[in-house]
RNA sequence: GUGGGUGUAGCUCAAUGGUUAGAGUACCGGACUGUGGAUCCGGCCGUUGGGAGUUCAAAUCUCCUCACCCACCCCA
């Protein structure tokens, strides 16, 4: 009871257990099934990488690299980092193992923990799990649409309410550079009207001013739209992605203010957002990253993907009353005098594949029935001297309170049948 | 890094600056060895997050600090 010296989990890191873990596991299973159904292949990469990987991929000027990485010097004096995201690792792996010699595009999905040293709040932690997909080696707009389709299917399969798909194009390095200049040109006369954050953004990342919530609508109205500045190829690509989405019956909203904070994105960017998430409303986010592979030393290779926050997904499922609890449990109540029969039947049922609870406490049947109820068992089976004589057990359905005598040899069939009801 | 909110028993919460900080719930035991989470009785549970100060007297007032939550920034 003395908690003075209690050691807690590290700030921003959480234990996952109980109901949350059930949802977590259910979600993970569904995500992987969907990715597999799109013929994506699993890949596991290390949770630690040389720091340079993220500096070159995520971008040296981004918040993630500037102040959020768990970076340290290992015993051979190399700078290593706990991964803040996984796309960089997958592309590193692609280059390192010469995956370009395989039939392209390659399609991967991944799942694992990530680390960012941030101030925790709703939907944001220092240790969190990401699921994601990456399709590498083709610039077809159909591949963009396919990746978005996976994201949309996740929401559909898990019956998520209040979610929507937002999409935008931020162009390639040619047209985005032109757009940035134009944006600054228009903003310059209004520099003094900008909020403190935007004054900084004006120099670091002017695109960010687009989605600032503080700026006046009048100012935003005069800002040029990226779509109007896309080069012919980017425009064609974006229109084609939208066309595919329509043909695939995926509802979406074009959001001209959608820009993303990682440097590697090009052309298509998208998010699936939920109103159940608070300020951190993005369930998943991603886009195209056509320059990343060559940035990491590979030959120029276009790619597209997204990452999804598991904790956020679980949060949505919880707020929508999703039940993931596996309640299938048989509680064995027995009289102490027939323990041997009880343990025999228990093991038999376990071998049949059922989840069987054998209490270490014995007590009266009343007592044991109470314990069974507290454990949320679906069934209680009673084994006493009478049952031993007749070679049967009494099975009680704890939900309906019905009970019936079942011959020991019929138990497997009986419970199999119950499970299918 | 910057703001705001909250810290009292495992959990949910009480307690005008004034007895030994209390309830409910959970847990354990008994009533109770052939059937439901009940009821009754009993037990266990606190350096009031931590530290300093004001005061005859602090859970309560002041300051500092820590933790959690929420928001900004940014992101999954």
């Amino acid at each position: 009871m003395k908690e003075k010296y209690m050691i807690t989990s590290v700030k921003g890191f959480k234990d996952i257990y109980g109901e949350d873990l059930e949802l977590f596991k259910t979600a993970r299973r569904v995500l992987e099934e969907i990715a597999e159904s799109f013929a994506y292949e699993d890949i596991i990469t290390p949770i630690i990488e040389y720091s340079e990987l993220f500096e070159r991929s995520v971008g040296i000027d981004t918040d993630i690299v500037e102040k959020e990485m768990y970076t340290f010097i290992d015993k051979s004096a190399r700078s290593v980092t706990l991964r803040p995201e996984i796309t960089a690792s997958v592309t590193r792996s692609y280059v390192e193992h010469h995956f370009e010699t395989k039939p392209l595009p390659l399609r991967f999905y991944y799942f694992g923990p990530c680390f960012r040293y941030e101030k925790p709040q709703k939907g944001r932690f220092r240790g969190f799990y990401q699921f994601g997909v990456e399709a590498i080696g083709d610039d077809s707009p159909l591949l963009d649409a396919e990746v978005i389709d996976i994201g949309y299917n996740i929401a559909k399969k898990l019956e998520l309410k209040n979610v929507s798909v937002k999409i935008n194009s931020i162009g390639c390095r040619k047209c985005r550079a032109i757009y940035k200049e134009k944006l600054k040109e228009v903003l310059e006369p209004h520099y003094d009207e900008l909020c403190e954050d935007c004054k900084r953004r004006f120099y670091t990342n002017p695109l960010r001013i687009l989605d600032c919530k503080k700026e006046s609508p009048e100012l935003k109205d005069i800002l040029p739209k990226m779509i109007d500045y896309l080069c012919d190829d980017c425009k064609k690509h974006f229109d084609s992605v939208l066309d595919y989405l329509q043909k695939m019956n995926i509802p979406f909203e074009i959001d001209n203010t959608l820009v993303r904070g990682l440097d590697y994105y090009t052309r298509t960017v998208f998010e699936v957002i939920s109103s159940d998430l608070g300020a951190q409303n993005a369930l998943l986010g991603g886009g195209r990253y056509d320059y990343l592979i060559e940035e990491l030393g590979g030959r120029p290779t276009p790619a597209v993907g997204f990452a999804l926050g598991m904790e956020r997904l679980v949060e949505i499922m919880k707020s929508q009353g999703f039940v993931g609890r596996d309640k299938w449990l048989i509680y064995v109540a027995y009289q102490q005098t027939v323990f041997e029969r009880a343990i025999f039947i228990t093991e038999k049922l376990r071998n049949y594949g059922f989840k069987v609870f054998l209490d270490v406490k014995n007590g009266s049947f009343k007592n044991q029935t109470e314990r069974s109820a507290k454990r949320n068992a679906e069934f209680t089976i009673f084994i006493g001297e009478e049952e031993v004589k007749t070679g049967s057990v009494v099975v009680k359905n704890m939900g309906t309170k019905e009970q019936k005598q079942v011959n020991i040899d019929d138990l497997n069939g009986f419970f199999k049948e119950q499970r299918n009801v």
Side-chain angles (χ1 to χ4, degrees), chain A residues 200-236:
Chain A
R200 181 177 47 78
R201 291 181 183 124
F202 182 83
Y203 298 105
T204 59
N205 192 352
L207 291 181
R208 276 264 150 226
I209 299 176
L210 291 174
D211 70 346
C212 177
K213 289 143 201 136
K214 291 181 195 145
E215 300 306 342
S216 67
E218 294 81 37
L219 178 64
K220 289 203 165 173
D221 278 350
I222 62 166
L223 296 180
K225 289 183 165 49
M226 181 72 224
I227 310 191
D228 299 330
Y229 287 80
L230 293 177
C231 62
D232 288 348
D233 285 347
C234 286
K235 181 86 174 81
K236 236 175 86 184

